[in-house]
Structure formats: structure tokens, C-alpha cells
Amino acid sequence: VGPGDTSPDEGVVADLPLIDEKAVEQLTEGLISHYLPDLQRSKSALQELTQNQVVLLETLEQEISKFKECNSILDIDMLFSEAKYYHNKLVNIRNDMMMLHEKTSKLKVSGINI
């Protein structure tokens, strides 16, 4: 074992001063008292932000449902327009059939057999 074979950690524990537990406790309390108010403010700001996001999401959901209702109303309007179109077609067919019935009745009265 030569002079370069000694561990770099050798004798470090002996070189460290004794740690004063009271000093560590005071330093810890000082550190906490320094950062805790900022952390608490950040926490409350984040909670408020989260609550605002929840309100915003609920509002967006309501607006989306309004748009869906509008689309449903447009679909209903389209259905009524189609119903009116087909009703008019049926009325025209009915009128044509009545006219044809009248003509055939007149032809029968005239003595022409169909």
C-alpha cells in the first residue's frame, strides 16, 4: 500500500465540527418562515385558478348545449319545410285524381265506356 492508496474520505468525519441540533432547528424554522408565506399565497392562487377553470368549463358546456339546441331547431325547421313541400305534392295529386275522376264520370254519362 503506497502513499496514493489512501481513501479521499479518510479522516473527513474527524474534520467535521459537531452539529448543533438547536442551530439546525433554528435554521430550518427560519427557512420555512421565509418561504412558507409565498408558498401559501401560491397555493391559494392555484386554488382560485382551479375554481375559475371549473366555472369556465361549466359555462362552455352550457354554451355548447345552446349551440346543439340551435342545430336541433334548424333541423326541425328543415323537417317542417319538407313536410310542407310533400303536403303540397299530395294536395296536387289529390286534385289531379279528382279531376280525372270527374272526367271519367262525364265520359261514362256520355255513354263512352272506358
Side-chain angles (χ1 to χ4, degrees), residues 14-67:
D15 294 343
L16 286 178
L18 292 176
I19 298 174
D20 184 6
E21 294 294 327
K22 187 174 182 181
V24 170
E25 187 177 322
Q26 288 175 343
L27 287 171
T28 303
E29 287 177 10
L31 187 66
I32 289 174
S33 68
H34 179 73
Y35 286 108
L36 190 60
D38 288 337
L39 290 173
Q40 288 174 334
R41 281 192 295 276
S42 295
K43 179 183 177 183
S44 66
L46 286 172
Q47 286 175 337
E48 183 180 345
L49 179 63
T50 302
Q51 289 172 348
N52 289 339
Q53 285 178 333
V54 168
V55 169
L56 181 62
L57 284 173
E58 290 173 355
T59 304
L60 281 174
E61 287 175 2
Q62 290 173 358
E63 293 300 316
I64 288 170
S65 67
K66 287 180 186 177
F67 281 118

Side-chain angles (χ1 to χ4, degrees), residues 91-107:
V91 167
N92 289 336
I93 290 171
R94 182 174 155 249
N95 289 338
D96 288 346
M97 289 180 75
M98 287 174 57
M99 182 186 66
L100 289 172
H101 177 69
E102 285 177 25
K103 285 184 179 181
T104 56
S105 296
K106 285 180 185 177
L107 287 173

Side-chain angles (χ1 to χ4, degrees), residues 24-25 31 48 62 69 79 84-85 88-89 95 113:
V24 170
E25 187 177 322
L31 187 66
E48 183 180 345
Q62 290 173 358
E69 287 176 22
L79 285 174
K84 184 177 179 181
Y85 170 78
N88 287 336
K89 275 188 110 168
N95 289 338
N113 289 328

